[in-house]
Amino acid sequence: CPMPVPNEIIQEFLVETHDSLGRLDVELVLLEKGEAKSETLSSVFRAIHSLKGSAGFLGYQKLESLTHVAESLLSRLRDRKLAVTVEIVSALLATVDAVREMLRSIELNGQDGDQVYSELTARLRALTANEPVTGGRSESLEDHSFNLANTQSVRMAAPQPPVQKSLTDSQTLSDLNVRISDSGSETALP
């Protein structure tokens, strides 16, 4: 049985994590607006990495597990193996919300909650692997629905990579709302 962690360490963890989440909100908005620099992405990565390590040290396994998956996605973004997309920013914002829920649970009863966040974890893993998100609708930051024209699978001679839209300096997330057809071509949403 592990030794109990002193309450003052948990309180310091909570204060620091809430501060960190406040900074993450600002930095993710910069990503959303296309105003982020590589330092911003590195800062988001470090914040999630630190949160993961602290959660593991304090024995908050659900918090550690979720932040580990988010860290993997951020690592691929930071290393430029993935481009920032509407879906990725939305999933990272959902991760910040889930972390806040777990922090509330820790504040109330000392545990990181009963919720497993399996859908969010699956979404983060699919984005990390650069695969289409399955099992329901993806959310955009703008209207919470990223519409696919047809989700039926199409037999093709060779696998096609998923279409990925990146933000430019002058674009916002609403500029990237597109509909993907069966052939993988893009058309603007109305």
Side-chain angles (χ1 to χ4, degrees):
C1 183
M3 285 185 56
V5 177
N7 192 41
E8 55 271 1
I9 291 176
I10 294 171
Q11 291 306 312
E12 186 175 328
F13 164 74
L14 290 168
V15 168
E16 287 179 10
T17 302
H18 280 295
D19 288 347
S20 180
L21 293 178
R23 283 189 306 277
L24 280 174
D25 283 334
V26 171
E27 291 168 338
L28 289 171
V29 167
L30 290 174
L31 283 173
E32 170 191 357
K33 292 180 177 180
E35 298 172 3
K37 297 179 171 33
S38 63
E39 299 85 35
T40 305
L41 201 49
S42 292
S43 176
V44 171
F45 174 85
R46 283 190 308 275
I48 293 294
H49 176 77
S50 295
L51 178 54
K52 179 194 76 166
S54 297
F57 173 76
L58 296 171
Y60 299 125
Q61 294 175 345
K62 292 174 189 164
L63 183 54
E64 178 185 24
S65 178
L66 179 63
T67 53
H68 174 73
V69 177
E71 178 189 40
S72 295
L73 175 58
L74 287 162
S75 177
R76 295 209 56 208
L77 288 169
R78 186 189 60 176
D79 296 343
R80 298 179 186 248
K81 295 185 190 308
L82 289 175
V84 175
T85 66
V86 172
E87 282 188 301
I88 288 174
V89 173
S90 178
L92 292 171
L93 287 168
T95 300
V96 170
D97 291 342
V99 169
R100 280 194 174 99
E101 289 174 19
M102 286 188 245
L103 293 180
R104 276 191 291 278
S105 180
I106 292 167
E107 290 167 346
L108 291 173
N109 63 29
Q111 302 299 314
D112 54 357
D114 296 328
Q115 193 162 343
V116 180
Y117 301 98
S118 56
E119 286 183 26
L120 178 56
T121 300
R123 185 173 160 200
L124 290 166
R125 283 189 175 127
L127 291 166
T128 302
N130 200 20
E131 297 171 355
V133 177
T134 59
R137 294 178 7 193
S138 300
E139 295 180 4
S140 76
L141 296 173
E142 199 58 25
D143 63 4
H144 301 293
S145 64
F146 189 86
N147 298 317
L148 296 177
N150 188 342
T151 57
Q152 295 176 341
S153 61
V154 177
R155 183 172 275 226
M156 297 181 187
Q160 300 294 314
V163 175
Q164 192 172 56
K165 295 292 286 184
S166 300
L167 295 173
T168 65
D169 288 341
S170 63
Q171 289 179 312
T172 64
L173 288 176
S174 60
D175 295 331
L176 296 181
N177 284 337
V178 296
R179 178 174 282 127
I180 309 300
S181 69
D182 287 340
S183 66
S185 63
E186 303 173 14
T187 56
L189 287 176

